[in-house]
């Protein structure tokens, strides 16, 4: 990757501005998962260890741009970041007052409170870039957004570079997309084909096998002529699903469909779940998970892979008893010798919930950014870093 890296720069006595993705989930003003804060610690720590003063930028949620809204304040993030760093981290509301001395870490209030952030206003980008001597783009989770703090400031900074988290994310996906160990398999789940058409098309040209699950698989089953009852399905995209299946057939690539599924009358906890062959789904029930024979089929296919990318669960894993398929595949991939990259919020949540995250090759911090990379798109922040490199 032809970009400057924070690890290679002399930061002693300088002010380093670091754009992180500290957009953590919150409930009633409390952080429910601090993974993104912890993921930023090595970058912030590296700059501090190099003798820099650090100003951290991030967004949180979707406030009305240009307005301060208490519920989207980074106050809880500043407190948690201070705990993890073992030092006080002041929260500064006005960029004009964001200053740090060597060895000090300061957090600027939610950048989406600043007018012009999402429109990538050049004046705001210049102001943010001018807060320090070095601008570090480390927010992979926001790298697909061409905003003032993620793209504009990178282009206007005196020196722009990538942080360790950004470097690690791009390196992990390069192992999947650029020169993967083969066979290369992809597991793509989630609810709708429409949100992942570009992803499926791009991956099919690269992978040796493509496994579909979740609501996406229902549309493919319908395209194959199976009844799917009241399941989530996109009939308008059946022609696209047929096209993808035909492309896979002609190219000699595996695109297995479920052979059995778990159904119920509705998606709710404690429902009576029944396993059916795909040709026997009741008209008044919905498909909510893959069945045991399908699990075995997918596991056998994935066991042959040297590289696997997984984005999206294969069932409604959050609601019992419809998580067995997702859990079984997570366990199989955790035990695999393949290099496994897990991206996307739901699949990451599943892997972490099962306690298997440390057994995967790489767990991505970016949902939309990882999807766009897998679709073959150029991320605005990465393009800016490469131009500055």
């Amino acid at each position: 990757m032809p970009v400057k890296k924070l690890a290679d720069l002399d930061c002693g006595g300088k002010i380093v501005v670091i754009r992180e993705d500290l957009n953590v989930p919150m409930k009633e003003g409390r952080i429910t998962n601090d993974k993104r804060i912890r993921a930023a610690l090595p970058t912030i720590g590296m700059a501090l260890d190099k003798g820099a003063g650090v100003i951290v930028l991030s967004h949180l949620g979707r406030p009305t741009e240009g307005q301060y809204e208490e519920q989207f304040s980074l106050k809880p993030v500043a407190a948690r970041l201070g705990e993890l760093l073992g030092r006080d981290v002041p929260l500064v509301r006005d960029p004009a007052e964001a200053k740090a001395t060597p060895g000090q870490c300061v957090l600027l209030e939610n950048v989406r409170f600043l007018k012009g952030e999402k429109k990538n206003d050049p004046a705001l980008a210049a102001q943010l870039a001018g807060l320090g001597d070095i601008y570090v783009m480390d927010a992979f989770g926001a790298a697909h957004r061409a905003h003032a703090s993620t793209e504009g400031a990178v282009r206007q900074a005196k020196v722009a570079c990538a942080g360790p988290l950004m470097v690690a994310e791009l390196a992990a996906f390069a192992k999947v997309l650029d020169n993967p160990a083969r066979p290369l398999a992809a597991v793509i789940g989630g609810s709708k084909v429409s949100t992942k058409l570009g992803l499926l098309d791009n991956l099919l040209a690269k992978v040796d096998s493509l496994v579909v699950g979740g609501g996406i698989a229902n549309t493919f089953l319908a395209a194959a002529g199976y009844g799917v009852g009241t399941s989530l399905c996109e009939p308008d995209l059946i022609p696209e699903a047929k096209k993808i299946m035909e492309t896979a057939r002609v190219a000699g690539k595996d695109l297995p469909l479920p052979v059995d599924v778990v159904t119920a009358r509705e998606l709710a906890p404690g429902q009576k779940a029944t396993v059916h062959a795909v040709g026997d789904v009741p008209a008044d029930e919905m498909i909510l998970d893959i069945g045991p024979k399908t699990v075995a089929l997918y596991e056998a296919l994935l066991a042959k892979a040297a590289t696997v990318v997984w984005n999206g669960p294969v069932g409604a894993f959050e609601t019992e008893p419809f998580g067995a398929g997702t859990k079984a595949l997570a366990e199989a991939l955790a035990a695999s010798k393949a290099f496994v990259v897990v991206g996307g919020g739901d699949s990451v949540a599943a892997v972490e919930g099962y306690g298997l995250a440390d057994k995967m090759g790489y767990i991505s911090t970016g949902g939309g950014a990882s999807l766009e990379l897998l679709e073959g798109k150029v991320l605005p922040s990465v393009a800016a870093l490469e131009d500055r490199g």
Side-chain angles (χ1 to χ4, degrees):
M1 183 177 63
V3 303
K4 286 189 176 73
K5 301 175 185 178
L6 176 63
D8 299 331
L9 299 181
D10 177 12
C11 304
K14 297 179 180 179
I15 305 302
V16 174
V17 183
I18 306 177
R19 176 50 160 106
E20 292 289 359
D21 180 7
L22 307 180
N23 185 29
V24 292
M26 305 275 290
K27 186 175 182 180
E28 298 177 354
R30 303 181 71 176
I31 297 169
T32 58
N33 186 325
D34 67 354
K35 179 188 174 184
R36 287 184 171 179
I37 300 176
R38 287 184 283 110
L41 293 178
T43 304
I44 297 170
M46 177 182 289
L48 291 171
D49 289 345
K50 284 172 172 277
V54 174
I55 300 172
V56 180
L57 315 182
S58 180
H59 71 285
L60 179 67
R62 297 180 178 180
T64 302
E65 187 173 302
Q67 296 182 22
Y68 177 86
E69 296 180 55
E70 183 70 23
Q71 70 188 72
F72 297 112
S73 172
L74 287 171
K75 288 177 185 175
V77 174
R80 181 59 179 148
L81 182 58
E83 290 175 0
L84 293 169
L85 287 173
R87 66 183 73 200
D88 182 48
V89 176
L91 180 68
V92 180
R93 188 162 165 179
D94 185 350
E97 298 176 3
K99 295 176 173 54
T101 56
Q104 182 185 24
C105 179
V106 170
L107 178 63
L108 181 66
E109 184 59 282
N110 194 337
V111 291
R112 289 188 180 173
F113 290 165
L114 304 174
K115 194 166 184 177
E117 163 64 7
K118 291 196 289 185
K119 290 185 178 180
N120 201 359
D121 178 67
L124 177 59
Q127 182 182 26
L128 297 176
L131 292 177
D133 305 294
I134 299 171
Y135 197 90
V136 183
M137 179 55 191
D138 202 42
F140 178 75
H144 58 311
R145 307 294 189 195
H147 292 175
S149 66
T150 60
E151 197 264 357
V154 173
R155 295 190 180 278
Q156 296 204 48
K158 299 173 188 174
V159 177
C161 66
L165 178 59
M166 175 70 82
V167 171
E169 292 273 5
L170 295 177
F173 282 100
K175 285 188 178 182
V176 173
L177 297 171
D178 296 344
N179 189 26
R182 292 191 178 272
L184 168 62
V187 180
I188 305 300
S191 57
K192 295 183 178 181
V193 175
S194 55
T195 61
K196 294 186 177 179
L197 263 180
L199 171 63
L200 294 170
D201 283 334
N202 188 58
L203 282 178
L204 191 56
K206 299 176 179 291
V207 302
D208 301 296
S209 56
L210 177 61
V211 173
V212 292
I216 289 174
N218 298 338
T219 302
F220 277 85
L221 286 171
Y226 295 105
V228 294
T230 60
S231 307
L232 177 62
C233 180
E234 294 177 280
D236 292 348
L237 291 176
I238 285 176
E240 294 291 343
K242 287 182 176 180
K243 180 182 175 183
I244 291 171
M245 290 191 291
E246 177 62 14
T247 299
R249 186 192 67 79
V250 171
K253 298 186 177 184
D254 292 314
L255 202 168
L257 296 182
V259 294
D260 63 344
V261 292
V262 178
T263 70
R265 290 288 182 91
E266 61 179 313
L267 176 56
Q271 286 288 303
K272 180 183 178 182
T274 309
V275 177
H276 294 281
V278 289
D280 299 326
V281 174
D284 61 347
E285 295 193 7
M286 59 179 64
I287 299 170
L288 295 170
D289 197 7
I290 55 176
K293 291 182 180 178
T294 303
V295 169
L297 173 68
Y298 288 177
E299 286 180 345
L301 182 65
L302 295 172
K304 302 174 185 176
T307 307
V308 180
V309 58
W310 181 17
N311 188 294
V314 295
F317 78 98
E318 308 98 329
T319 306
E320 288 299 334
F322 309 115
T326 298
K327 183 177 182 181
L329 284 191
E331 291 174 341
L333 291 175
S336 169
K337 294 181 180 179
F339 177 71
V340 180
V341 176
V342 184
D346 288 340
S347 40
V348 170
V351 167
E352 291 183 334
Y354 302 139
L356 299 172
D358 61 344
K359 296 182 180 179
M360 302 295 179
Y362 191 79
I363 302 292
S364 178
T365 60
S370 64
L371 272 179
E372 293 199 10
L373 266 187
L374 293 173
E375 285 178 32
K377 296 180 179 179
V378 176
L379 305 184
S381 296
V382 177
L385 284 169
E386 289 177 341
D387 288 346
R388 294 302 309 276

